[in-house]
Amino acid sequence: MAATRHKPGSLLGSLLGLIGFSAIAGILVSATLTPALAVASTTANSGLDVFESLPSYAQITQQAERNRIYGVKDGQPVEIASFYEQDRQVLQWQQVPRTAVEALIAGEDRRFYTHGGVDAPSVVRAGLSQLGVGSESGASTLTMQLVRQQIAMDAFIRGDTELQAAQYTESYQRKLSEMRLAIGLEQRYTKNEILLAYLNIANFGGNVYGIQSGAQRIFGKPAAELSIAESAALIATVQNPSTRNLFTAENWPRNQERRDFIINQMAAEGYITGEQRDEALAIPVDENFVNLQPSNNGCIVGYDSARFFCDYVQRVLRQDKVDGHHILGATAEDNSAALYQGGYQIYTSLDVNLNDAVQASVDELVPNDETRWQSGAAVTQLEVGTGRILSMVQNKDYSPTETAPPTATSVNFNADYSHGRSGGFQPGSGFKIFTLAQWIIDGHSVNEQLDATREEWPRGTFKAECTGLISEAWDPQNNEGNEYARMTPTEIMVNSVNTGIVRMASEMDLCDIHDTAERMGTTPADGGDWQIFAPSVIGSGSNVSPMGMAEAFATIANGGIHCEPLAIDRIVARDGTEVQPPSQQCQQAITPEVASVMQLVLETVTERNPLNNPAGSTPVISKTGTTNGVVQTWVNGASPTVATSVWVGNIVGNYSLQSRWNVRSTIFKGAMEEAIARYPGGDFLTPDAETVRGNSSELPNVAGQPVDAAKAALEQLGFTVQVSNPIDGLQAEGLVEYTAPGAGSLVTTTTPIIIYPSNGALAAGAEPEQTQAPADPAAQTWPNVVAQPLADAGAALSAAGFDPAGIQVTWQDHGEANVCRVLAQNPLPDTAGQPGDPISLVVGTNAAGGDPGC
């Protein structure tokens, strides 16, 4: 590079500087023949002490390269993105085209193969040009230029901007240090090794470095295929990349001027023939000459469906730690320097096939160009037992730019703020699983009968010892104003009954519920503390992420063991060594017994909601979530092998998704079917009987006892007992027909018991003609339909010759196990009847009463 010429007024200073420069340079030039002079200890008189504060190494360092991220497609690793500070692909000597080597020597250092790192004639010419003698000239050899670029690159990697800038400021001291280090390089490496390092480190404009990336980005081909004209045009750039790079059309004339000079020099040196020279010179540097290719740097140009996952992986690499240390370096600075240096191959957990399938579903059902509302959708899928992230998609395109259109964003809706800059979304009823978990942990039964009627809870009802706060008065309601009576926790979860969950929470500490949620993997998405107050138990508290909800369901499916999400399987450094990624972190969050009962309940939830139940025989647990006004909607669930969280809602705003309520279910069902097809097998645990029972016991059977005696017996056991008005019954008048809950139901002493006395209307003997044996043995008799489902009972009656239209049903809540089952019949089995006779059946219903859909 040419030295700066001094103004005439500074001639004396230049002369004095030249004397010192020439003296020291003379020593260094001589050192190419007598190396000991360059490192002599008598530096005080020569001025070489000025070097002692500069880098003392003289070696070819590793050069910054691309980092590459891989997913798995069709069972094989596939690159989904690359990212780098300097776009460089390091070549080996045999991969470098001869034309590039010859263009570099002819254009930059004709005596490269004959000097020892410092070219004496060039030093003299450079010194004289400072005095205005001769033409402008620089003294830098290729080896000296390589030294300067290596120092600048190392300074860049370390973040030393001052040292980096100093490499491009002309001074005698900088030149002398370059000479000294260049001599060291020449003594340590072969000429070809130095040329290779230069071609790999050289800048070709912007952040494109190295002849391979330059060839690919500017000419759309590998370096090995470069022509004479293309090689010369690239080498023409290195002297001044900012004004001669080929990425800007206004630079093309300047590049061609320098390129043509290099081509002529190549011919003068005998590297090419006159015919080749003329042929190359005849090609203009224009739009037909260059073939510019877009940058492949970063997630924004990565594999289409994997761009948000790519961003997640980058954040893991930059901030996550292994055993207290950053992944690629002991400190944050070391970690950043390693990423800048690059050359890592990062193999991730992403199942690209699964990701593509889920992305297609989200794109179809929640298009990113929706204008009525700021539509959002996200899906996270985790491998149960490992926490590996199998898919991560959302409806918006990935764009980290400030000018991103409404169809794009840089915010990853799947992750929390630290890993995606998302503040999360209210979980709605999806949060109820944590109240269920704590209910079971505290020893309650999921089949215990609870009062789910609506009531206003007075101030101070709910306990939250970790906050010290007193709960406010609260009047919770159910969706669409539905009213319920007695229900089991299983029924409460199936029907997502707010008033039932509130009843359960009133018997526990709200802090325990939130602690359990955190152990299972769900935390506030903003990284702060839980907002703990009574309405939070029905999902009106802190915002959460799809990742967090998927973690919780993976914990349930995994027998209560929570595994932290894992995005990276392996990291391989450029030298082939393995770098330890974040290791699998799994710990028992809830006991296997508690998990087994949660599986039982949440599998029932799925079975009772066909919209969320994937095809096939694989068991699936699930729970929906909807916030007030249908602003945010969720379905979260898991098979024994894959957990899935689906969120569809408002990014901002409160647009009601009432008409699109089931979009979440369509996405969830499809995503689970895709996952089960790829990760089949597995079973949930057998429910632990003792945990199912909890602190409840079976209600004694008092049917047929006098009402007062039955009431006293139950009260002696600690129950609160009420007696209803008499009903038509099979028992004699004044005796107990049945109780609610029914005999054998799991109850606690807090469960209110209602006795239903019989008025004897259906008692045996009330209609003697129906209890007598038929005179004709071939005459019709009533079949026994007790304990049969109502539909089967109708078929049995029809098969026995009776008209099912004559069935008269009395509905009675006898517990979840007896819903739609016949509890009693009149006429009794095996008694005579006529085809058109009516029959009265007592059939089980749920707490809502009436026909539950039998």
Side-chain angles (χ1 to χ4, degrees), residues 160-173:
D160 190 339
T161 55
E162 185 176 338
L163 179 58
Q164 188 180 358
Q167 302 316 302
Y168 301 100
T169 302
E170 292 295 333
S171 70
Y172 293 135
Q173 289 183 338

Side-chain angles (χ1 to χ4, degrees), residues 591-797:
T591 67
E593 292 78 13
V594 170
S596 74
V597 178
M598 292 192 75
Q599 291 170 1
L600 171 68
V601 173
L602 295 174
E603 189 177 352
T604 303
V605 171
T606 305
E607 291 170 350
R608 298 275 288 274
N609 190 343
L611 287 175
N612 299 327
N613 198 356
S617 59
T618 300
V620 171
I621 58 176
S622 69
K623 181 69 187 77
T624 57
T626 308
T627 63
N628 289 341
V630 199
V631 173
Q632 313 293 358
T633 68
W634 302 71
V635 183
N636 310 299
S639 72
T641 58
V642 177
T644 300
S645 176
V646 174
W647 163 77
V648 178
N650 288 256
I651 299 171
V652 295
N654 295 290
Y655 183 86
S656 174
L657 303 183
Q658 183 77 39
S659 63
R660 297 175 56 79
W661 203 336
N662 291 326
V663 169
R664 59 183 180 176
S665 297
T666 305
I667 295 174
F668 175 82
K669 188 174 180 180
M672 283 304 303
E673 287 174 352
E674 292 284 351
I676 291 169
R678 291 172 171 81
Y679 302 88
D683 292 300
F684 289 132
L685 300 171
T686 300
D688 181 71
E690 289 300 315
T691 308
V692 170
R693 178 182 293 272
N695 61 357
S696 63
S697 58
E698 293 183 0
L699 182 67
N701 186 0
V702 295
Q705 297 182 20
V707 170
D708 289 343
K711 183 174 185 292
L714 293 174
E715 287 178 339
Q716 188 172 6
L717 294 174
F719 293 104
T720 301
V721 183
Q722 297 176 350
V723 179
S724 76
N725 294 325
I727 62 171
D728 292 347
L730 301 173
Q731 301 292 338
E733 184 178 2
L735 300 183
V736 176
E737 180 68 17
Y738 46 69
T739 60
S745 297
L746 292 174
V747 294
T748 67
T749 54
T750 62
T751 306
I753 309 299
I754 302 175
I755 289 177
Y756 290 86
S758 172
N759 61 11
L762 306 178
E767 297 182 18
E769 70 278 2
Q770 293 184 352
T771 60
Q772 295 175 355
D776 183 358
Q780 290 171 290
T781 59
W782 293 101
N784 185 357
V785 294
V786 175
Q788 292 186 21
L790 180 57
D792 293 348
L797 290 169

Side-chain angles (χ1 to χ4, degrees), residues 351-430:
D351 184 327
V352 177
N353 299 97
L354 178 61
N355 208 64
D356 282 345
V358 178
Q359 183 71 64
S361 174
V362 169
D363 289 344
E364 177 186 356
L365 295 167
V366 192
N368 62 15
D369 58 357
E370 171 64 59
T371 57
R372 292 170 299 172
W373 55 293
Q374 292 204 39
S375 63
V379 181
T380 293
Q381 294 184 286
L382 304 177
E383 186 175 52
V384 173
T386 65
R388 297 174 69 249
I389 302 171
L390 300 177
S391 77
M392 177 184 285
V393 307
Q394 64 189 58
N395 70 319
K396 296 294 186 181
D397 296 330
Y398 176 78
S399 176
T401 64
E402 295 182 357
T403 57
T407 56
T409 183
S410 63
V411 177
N412 187 345
F413 303 142
N414 284 285
D416 58 16
Y417 190 85
S418 66
H419 287 93
R421 296 178 55 248
S422 171
F425 310 95
Q426 278 198 346
S429 296

Side-chain angles (χ1 to χ4, degrees), residues 77-97:
V78 58
E79 185 175 324
I80 59 175
S82 63
F83 65 99
Y84 44 80
E85 295 298 324
Q86 296 183 347
D87 183 1
R88 177 184 288 104
Q89 299 173 75
V90 173
L91 296 182
Q92 301 303 313
W93 178 254
Q94 61 271 21
Q95 298 171 297
V96 176

Side-chain angles (χ1 to χ4, degrees), residues 75-231:
Q76 298 298 320
V78 58
E79 185 175 324
I80 59 175
S82 63
F83 65 99
Y84 44 80
E85 295 298 324
Q86 296 183 347
D87 183 1
R88 177 184 288 104
Q89 299 173 75
V90 173
L91 296 182
Q92 301 303 313
W93 178 254
Q94 61 271 21
Q95 298 171 297
V96 176
R98 179 184 59 81
T99 54
V101 173
E102 292 170 347
L104 180 61
I105 294 172
E108 296 296 317
D109 191 353
R110 292 182 297 112
R111 287 183 289 275
F112 174 73
Y113 279 109
T114 59
H115 64 62
V118 179
D119 184 39
S122 296
V123 171
V124 173
R125 281 200 311 274
L128 292 174
S129 71
Q130 294 297 305
L131 297 176
V133 178
S135 61
E136 193 169 326
S137 177
S140 293
T141 62
L142 282 176
T143 314
M144 292 168 63
Q145 291 180 41
L146 174 60
V147 165
R148 180 165 70 254
Q149 291 184 71
Q150 285 193 160
I151 294 174
M153 186 185 74
D154 291 343
F156 166 76
I157 290 173
R158 295 196 306 273
D160 190 339
T161 55
E162 185 176 338
L163 179 58
Q164 188 180 358
Q167 302 316 302
Y168 301 100
T169 302
E170 292 295 333
S171 70
Y172 293 135
Q173 289 183 338
R174 201 213 75 207
K175 283 286 187 184
L176 291 171
S177 69
E178 287 176 7
M179 290 179 184
R180 174 181 176 234
L181 295 172
I183 292 168
L185 280 179
E186 293 274 355
Q187 293 170 353
R188 190 167 181 175
Y189 299 99
T190 68
K191 290 288 186 178
N192 286 351
E193 288 173 330
I194 292 170
L195 281 174
L196 177 63
Y198 188 102
L199 288 169
N200 278 326
I201 202 172
N203 176 237
F204 294 100
N207 71 338
V208 177
Y209 291 81
I211 192 74
Q212 177 76 340
S213 291
Q216 290 180 339
R217 288 289 305 282
I218 295 168
F219 294 111
K221 62 177 64 175
E225 298 177 9
L226 288 171
S227 67
I228 293 171
E230 291 166 345
S231 291

Side-chain angles (χ1 to χ4, degrees), residues 269-309:
E269 294 295 321
Y271 294 138
I272 60 176
T273 66
E275 182 180 353
Q276 290 174 314
R277 175 198 61 202
D278 294 342
E279 192 175 291
L281 292 173
I283 302 172
V285 176
D286 56 17
E287 65 276 3
N288 296 319
F289 179 63
V290 300
N291 181 21
L292 299 179
Q293 302 298 307
S295 169
N296 61 354
N297 185 19
C299 302
I300 193 171
V301 291
Y303 190 91
D304 186 46
S305 74
R307 292 174 184 173
F308 285 97
F309 177 75

